[in-house]
Amino acid sequence: MTDYIRFFIPAYFILFFVIAFLGISIKVARRIGKNPIVFPKDDTAYACIGRYFKITLLTLFGYTVIIAWIPDQMQQSCIISFLNIPIVKYIGIALMISALIWTVTAQVQMKDSWRIGIDQDAKTRLIIHGLFRFSRNPIFLGMTVSLVGFFLLFPTLIAFLFLTTGSLLMQIQIRLEEEYLVKQHGQIYLAYKKRVARMLSLY
């Protein structure tokens, strides 16, 4: 299975980036006439989160490239042995594939409201249909699940570090976006917030 993992992991994250970030961003930019990537470049805490996101993504990509070159050495270093079994790896693959499909579906359902960051210059439509009936943040949920799947497929301490760091950054970003949505949509968003869980409603 090592050879499969060697090529699956970098191919997956390249595909995730091309479809879920680059492709969707280009499509939305053409429709709205502006770049939907709106992280600021100043010295605020919010801009800092954006920079850490970029650093984490670049580091994750670099790690997956190294896995493709020397998978055995990378897996033997910092391995979490009790998770390094075939059934856990298959669960990881299933989670990663499901997460990609879930994330892209949520992005498509957002239509012109899709942004990477908070667009202070536009009041985007509040999306509450489709996957947003079950999660207030289905895209962040999909990204988190993809990192969980990666950790299960390649259970090393480094993969776990990506999972924890990525999850922390996403949770901070979620709360910043929720503050913005309360200001933009008021009681409509507050009612939606009471009805639907931040990550996943199980009822």
Side-chain angles (χ1 to χ4, degrees):
M1 194 174 187
T2 301
D3 286 339
Y4 177 79
I5 293 172
R6 175 181 186 177
F7 295 106
F8 174 80
I9 291 176
Y12 173 85
F13 282 109
I14 290 171
L15 187 65
F16 201 113
F17 175 78
V18 169
I19 296 176
F21 289 96
L22 187 60
I24 295 292
S25 295
I26 291 173
K27 185 176 181 179
V28 173
R30 287 175 177 171
R31 288 203 303 257
I32 67 175
K34 61 182 290 188
N35 189 350
I37 303 174
V38 288
F39 275 117
K41 298 180 180 180
D42 52 27
D43 196 35
T44 61
Y46 173 48
C48 186
I49 292 296
R51 285 192 289 272
Y52 283 134
F53 259 123
K54 294 175 184 176
I55 291 170
T56 301
L57 288 173
L58 287 172
T59 307
L60 175 60
F61 179 73
Y63 185 59
T64 63
V65 170
I66 295 173
I67 290 172
W69 283 343
I70 48 174
D72 292 328
Q73 294 90 326
M74 292 302 294
Q75 192 160 36
Q76 289 168 8
S77 63
C78 305
I79 191 71
I80 301 175
S81 300
F82 76 94
L83 291 174
N84 192 32
I85 56 176
I87 185 63
V88 172
K89 294 181 183 297
Y90 287 125
I91 292 172
I93 291 170
L95 287 176
M96 291 174 76
I97 294 172
S98 299
L100 176 57
I101 296 170
W102 173 280
T103 301
V104 173
T105 300
Q107 290 173 319
V108 170
Q109 290 172 349
M110 285 194 74
K111 297 183 179 179
D112 292 351
S113 294
W114 158 249
R115 296 291 188 278
I116 298 178
I118 299 172
D119 191 349
Q120 301 285 354
D121 298 325
K123 183 174 181 179
T124 56
R125 179 169 161 246
L126 180 64
I127 308 299
I128 59 174
H129 64 274
L131 296 182
F132 291 83
R133 292 178 298 164
F134 311 105
S135 171
R136 299 203 307 268
N137 300 279
I139 295 170
F140 284 121
L141 174 59
M143 292 168 64
T144 302
V145 171
S146 72
L147 290 176
V148 172
F150 172 50
F151 170 62
L152 295 179
L153 177 59
F154 203 76
T156 64
L157 291 176
I158 297 174
F160 182 72
L161 180 61
F162 280 117
L163 170 59
T164 53
T165 302
S167 297
L168 177 61
L169 290 173
M170 283 185 275
Q171 287 299 320
I172 295 172
Q173 179 65 21
I174 285 170
R175 284 157 176 78
L176 290 170
E177 291 186 4
E178 286 182 343
E179 291 178 2
Y180 168 77
L181 289 170
V182 170
K183 293 177 182 177
Q184 285 289 309
H185 300 284
Q187 290 299 320
I188 295 175
Y189 182 75
L190 290 174
Y192 171 63
K193 189 175 179 181
K194 290 181 180 179
R195 189 172 69 254
V196 179
R198 174 173 285 138
M199 296 304 283
L200 184 63
S201 297
L202 299 175
Y203 51 86

